[in-house]
Amino acid sequence: IKNKMSFIPQEGEAHPSRCPDNSAFKQQKLPAWKPQLTIATVLSTFFLTGAFCLSVGVCLILAANSVQEIQIDYSDKCSDCSKLRENTSNWNKECHCSINFTLKEDILGDVLMYYGLQNFYQNHRRYMMSRSDAQLLGRNVNVQKSYCAPFATYQNGTPMAPCGAIANSMFNDTIDLLYNHNSSVIQVPLLKTGNSWWTDKNVKFRNPNSYNLSSAFAGTARPPYWQKPVYLLDEEDERNSGYINDDFIVWMRVSAFASFRNLYRRVRRIRQFADGLPAGNYTFRISYNFPVTKFKGRKHVILSTVVWSGGSNPFLGIAYVVSGTAATLTGFVITAIHLKLRKKKTYFQKESGSLA
């Protein structure tokens, strides 16, 4: 009884109010607008949306079709090197193969070189987690406590740098492009930097602090499938070596699909290649290091240009065309239904008038 009496307001005390504050928002006095959907506004919305999507889709498809691209599968053409690489005891033996091809017309503008892989699944959950982001930031961490296992340390306890399955399986073929011009062979100048995202190069990947790279990675060892340690990824430019190597950074951004392509090089526009790649005979000289036979994969090398909408993928344009077509057809269906119902309404009005 005492507890119940404590909730009864005493004389002189103010009663607590449950009413909302006397504000325009809580009293629902704010100005409001409610659209009045008429047949004119509904049809105009559908038809305008359809026209917009169709226009954008056609532009995207035309832009994608204007991309110049050549793709060469060298999985079978380098079969001898592939057999050599399938034997892990030959990891330190070099193997080269050459592939000749002809450009029938000039490839003008910026020319990009990609390597493509088929049937290589990077989207497996354990594979995607097998890395140490703290290690890739140059921090001194215990990789045994990361998700890198079984590619964390060797049996003697030496940590791998970088650790994890993603880094261990890094694509390591070397591809050079040669231009055969007037009985002379000219090596096409290729840019190996500037191919990764700025945020990756400057934020997500950093080398350990030290006076040189070899001392920064002292006490670590290369991953099992690598042919050289991480601080020798680019022996010509120390600013492109270690964890901030562009090829390594591009590989560490895994793909969602089993077939993908990664940017490898860009043609440097100088001398006779100032406008792009002239028509003529070319040769891909490949140092074959990445085996694909065991997982039934394929390897490609691609030369391609880019346009304002990106590469040669027409998916976005097709999606816009399909959406625009669907919106336009919906508009016609609504128009037909409206005309049919209006005729019925007119008919019943005439019948009721005649009966009256």
Side-chain angles (χ1 to χ4, degrees), residues 218-245:
T220 63
R222 60 175 177 82
Y225 290 173
W226 285 29
Q227 296 178 326
K228 52 187 175 181
V230 65
Y231 56 86
L232 293 179
L233 286 179
D234 190 346
E235 301 181 39
E236 299 176 358
D237 186 3
E238 191 174 274
R239 295 172 298 178
N240 187 44
S241 197
Y243 295 149
I244 58 174
N245 176 262

Side-chain angles (χ1 to χ4, degrees), residues 20-44:
D21 297 336
N22 189 22
S23 61
F25 177 75
K26 292 189 176 182
Q27 295 296 335
Q28 299 184 11
K29 296 180 181 180
L30 292 174
W33 174 77
K34 182 180 180 180
Q36 298 295 328
L37 297 179
T38 62
I39 188 63
T41 57
V42 171
L43 289 179
S44 60

Side-chain angles (χ1 to χ4, degrees), residues 35-255:
Q36 298 295 328
L37 297 179
T38 62
I39 188 63
T41 57
V42 171
L43 289 179
S44 60
T45 300
F46 275 101
F47 284 121
L48 289 176
T49 302
F52 172 78
C53 291
L54 286 172
S55 302
V56 174
V58 170
C59 292
L60 289 173
I61 291 175
L62 292 176
N65 291 335
S66 67
V67 172
Q68 295 176 278
E69 181 176 299
I70 179 172
Q71 178 172 312
I72 296 176
D73 187 329
Y74 66 95
S75 306
D76 297 331
K77 296 180 180 180
C78 297
S79 57
D80 294 337
C81 291
S82 177
K83 294 177 182 177
L84 180 71
R85 282 287 169 261
E86 290 301 327
N87 188 349
T88 56
S89 62
N90 298 324
W91 67 272
N92 59 345
K93 295 181 180 179
E94 294 185 358
C95 188
H96 300 273
C97 59
S98 298
I99 301 171
N100 300 319
F101 66 98
T102 301
L103 290 181
K104 297 181 180 180
E105 58 182 10
D106 298 344
I107 299 182
L108 302 177
D110 294 327
V111 183
L112 309 180
M113 181 188 292
Y114 300 84
Y115 63 85
L117 291 177
Q118 287 185 356
N119 206 37
F120 190 95
Y121 289 85
Q122 288 188 312
N123 55 2
H124 192 281
R125 181 174 176 271
R126 291 190 62 185
Y127 180 88
M128 295 174 63
M129 294 177 60
S130 185
R131 59 187 291 167
S132 173
D133 292 323
Q135 185 195 45
L136 298 176
L137 281 171
R139 299 173 183 171
N140 186 15
V141 296
N142 184 3
V143 294
Q144 289 183 337
K145 296 182 180 180
S146 66
Y147 292 101
C148 289
F151 301 103
T153 61
Y154 285 93
Q155 293 182 354
N156 59 1
T158 304
M160 299 180 189
C163 70
I166 306 176
N168 183 60
S169 60
M170 176 182 168
F171 183 86
N172 57 351
D173 282 0
T174 302
I175 306 173
D176 294 321
L177 181 59
L178 306 177
Y179 177 44
N180 306 313
H181 180 63
N182 295 333
S183 68
S184 61
V185 179
I186 304 172
Q187 184 165 356
V188 179
L190 301 174
L191 296 172
K192 54 186 175 182
T193 58
N195 301 324
S196 59
W197 291 16
W198 185 92
T199 51
D200 289 346
K201 184 82 172 182
N202 298 276
V203 179
K204 295 183 179 180
F205 293 82
R206 295 177 185 173
N207 286 326
N209 294 325
S210 184
Y211 61 91
N212 60 32
L213 279 181
S214 60
S215 62
F217 291 97
T220 63
R222 60 175 177 82
Y225 290 173
W226 285 29
Q227 296 178 326
K228 52 187 175 181
V230 65
Y231 56 86
L232 293 179
L233 286 179
D234 190 346
E235 301 181 39
E236 299 176 358
D237 186 3
E238 191 174 274
R239 295 172 298 178
N240 187 44
S241 197
Y243 295 149
I244 58 174
N245 176 262
D246 273 51
D247 293 338
F248 173 70
I249 293 174
V250 169
W251 177 259
M252 292 299 291
R253 184 172 286 278
V254 296
S255 172

